[in-house]
């Protein structure tokens, strides 16, 4: 028992040393202010951005692409994934790795052409949004990012203007971790939405938690969460598609490091809650998910289809 305890302590010290040495808070706070504004090709002819302060006082970066029709049919609320941002997730790669994605030829342009407005925010500490302690890709609670999304919906008409008027039907368009945010909002106040679109949503982490060292780290996550919430210990799988991985690696506003302990703990907490409450979801939805997904558990989508009311 003493040997086992010594090994555990040594492992904890070693992990802490590694985490502190790889801590991503070097230099100025995130995000760099001089790089914030997307260029014209990213925004397109009618797109624009707005910043606003959330309840914690962080500046949240938001994007708007109004429908081209005189009257919008509805609003797609864009919810990006864990390491990315709204432009990377929803716009088109046309200029190659190392350049921002563009509006022309994207899903957003097609939705605008069909009469739907699109908007979304970069999650606090991700993309172009500020966050806790000036860190990139770190927040204290998943509840805070859900609260930001709901606050954004409340401000949408004022921030977005024409095409984002109050009373228009809203459809979450959620990718990866955005799926968890959408599910939590739906569970909290389903009446806000007309229907939902999920694309590889992060609803379950059961399969991922069994890979590599995760089975050994998961029982210790509560301890790590208390002593080193900002430690970046949870590795993220690489994409199966080399071109996409290269583009992600060279995207300035995407996050490329390990996942902080606090975020890993919050993702586990939230996905467990979602899985226990799928039967409470009653609004129409569609979900797309590859069985070969190595980053997000496809069983979450499978159970959503099977169990949602």
């Amino acid at each position: 028992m003493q040997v086992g305890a010594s090994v555990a302590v040594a492992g904890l010290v070693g992990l802490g040393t590694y985490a502190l040495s790889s801590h991503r808070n070097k230099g100025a706070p995130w995000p760099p202010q001089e790089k914030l504004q997307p260029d014209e090709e990213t925004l397109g002819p009618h797109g624009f951005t707005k910043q606003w302060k959330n309840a914690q006082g962080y500046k949240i970066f938001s994007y708007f692409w109004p429908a081209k029709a005189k009257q919008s049919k509805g609003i797609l609320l864009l919810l990006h994934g864990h390491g990315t941002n709204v432009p990377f997730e929803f716009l088109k790669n046309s200029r190659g790795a190392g350049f921002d994605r563009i509006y022309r030829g994207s899903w957003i342009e097609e939705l605008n052409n069909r009469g739907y407005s699109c908007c979304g925010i970069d999650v606090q500490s991700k993309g172009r949004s500020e966050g806790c302690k000036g860190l990139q890709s770190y927040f204290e609670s998943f509840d805070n990012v859900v609260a930001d999304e709901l606050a954004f919906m409340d401000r949408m008409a004022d921030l977005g203007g024409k095409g984002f008027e109050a009373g228009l039907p809203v459809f979450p368009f959620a990718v990866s971790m955005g799926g968890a945010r959408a599910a939590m909002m739906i569970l909290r106040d389903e009446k806000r939405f007309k229907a939902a679109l999920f694309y590889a949503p992060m609803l379950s982490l059961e399969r991922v938690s069994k890979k590599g060292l995760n089975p050994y780290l998961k029982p210790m996550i509560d301890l790590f969460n208390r002593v080193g919430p900002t430690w970046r210990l949870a590795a993220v799988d690489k994409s199966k598609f080399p071109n996409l991985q290269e583009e992600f690696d060279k995207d300035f506003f995407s996050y490329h490091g390990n996942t902080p302990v606090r975020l890993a703990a919050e993702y586990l907490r939230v996905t467990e809650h979602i899985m226990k409450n799928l039967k409470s979801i009653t609004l129409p939805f569609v979900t797309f998910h590859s069985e070969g997904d190595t980053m997000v558990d496809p069983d979450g989508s499978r159970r959503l289809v099977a169990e949602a009311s």
Side-chain angles (χ1 to χ4, degrees):
M1 292 292 290
Q2 288 180 340
V3 172
S6 297
V7 171
V9 171
L12 181 58
V13 171
L15 285 170
T17 302
Y18 163 77
L20 290 172
S21 67
S22 62
H23 199 286
R24 191 165 182 178
N25 192 31
K26 300 173 182 177
W30 188 263
Q33 297 300 306
E34 70 278 6
K35 293 180 177 286
L36 284 187
Q37 189 58 31
D39 64 27
E40 292 182 5
E41 285 194 83
T42 295
L43 292 176
H46 307 293
F48 59 94
T49 65
K50 292 283 184 72
Q51 282 185 291
W52 52 278
K53 285 192 176 182
N54 70 358
Q56 298 161 275
Y58 308 142
K59 291 181 181 178
I60 303 299
F61 203 92
S62 54
Y63 307 81
F64 296 87
W65 291 276
K68 294 182 179 178
K70 291 183 179 179
Q71 178 60 48
S72 175
K73 297 177 182 177
I75 300 168
L76 275 292
L77 178 63
L78 309 174
L79 302 159
H80 69 78
H82 161 70
T84 64
N85 50 81
V86 169
F88 185 88
E89 204 79 270
F90 296 98
L91 297 180
K92 183 178 181 179
N93 174 21
S94 181
R95 295 187 283 189
F99 296 91
D100 286 344
R101 290 188 167 189
I102 68 171
Y103 173 79
R104 179 174 293 181
S106 68
W107 288 348
I108 305 305
E109 182 182 38
E110 182 62 25
L111 286 163
N112 287 168
N113 289 340
R114 292 177 179 268
Y116 291 91
S117 298
C118 300
C119 63
I121 64 173
D122 286 341
V123 168
Q124 57 173 265
S125 80
K126 298 177 183 289
R128 292 169 166 86
S129 288
E130 294 179 349
C132 182
K133 303 175 183 178
L135 298 173
Q136 185 182 15
S137 194
Y138 179 80
F139 48 76
E140 294 287 332
S141 171
F142 200 87
D143 296 338
N144 292 338
V145 301
V146 173
D148 287 348
E149 296 288 356
L150 294 171
F152 177 60
M153 289 186 67
D154 291 339
R155 295 170 178 242
M156 197 181 290
D158 291 336
L159 291 170
K162 189 178 186 306
F164 299 93
E165 294 89 352
L168 287 171
V170 178
F171 306 84
F173 185 179
V175 179
S176 188
M177 187 266 283
R181 303 202 307 282
M184 291 296 285
M185 286 192 288
I186 290 167
L187 289 172
R188 184 176 297 186
D189 191 359
E190 188 176 278
K191 293 180 181 179
R192 282 178 174 260
F193 306 105
K194 183 73 173 179
L197 171 61
F198 294 101
Y199 190 88
M202 190 187 80
L203 304 178
S204 168
L205 292 175
E206 188 62 28
R207 184 184 296 188
V208 175
S209 68
K210 295 176 181 177
K211 296 176 63 176
L213 293 175
N214 290 339
Y216 305 99
L217 292 175
K218 186 177 178 182
M220 303 179 70
I221 198 166
D222 288 340
L223 172 61
F224 292 161
N225 197 19
R226 287 196 294 271
V227 301
T230 62
W231 294 357
R232 297 174 189 259
L233 301 179
V236 179
D237 279 354
K238 298 288 186 180
S239 172
K240 291 182 176 181
F241 307 100
N243 291 344
L244 179 60
Q245 184 65 50
E246 180 187 13
E247 188 190 359
F248 171 76
D249 289 341
K250 292 183 178 179
D251 181 61
F252 182 83
F253 283 101
S254 289
Y255 173 70
H256 312 112
N258 288 350
T259 303
V261 170
R262 174 59 54 80
L263 268 64
E266 286 296 287
Y267 291 165
L268 285 170
R269 175 182 70 83
V270 166
T271 53
E272 288 173 1
H273 175 79
I274 292 169
M275 287 293 97
K276 291 177 182 177
N277 291 278
L278 290 175
K279 292 182 179 179
S280 299
I281 296 177
T282 64
L283 87 171
F285 67 88
V286 61
T287 184
F288 299 90
H289 213 137
S290 168
E291 178 60 37
D293 193 336
T294 60
M295 297 184 181
V296 179
D297 193 345
D299 289 341
S301 283
R302 188 177 294 110
R303 285 187 55 186
L304 174 66
V305 172
E307 298 180 29
S309 302

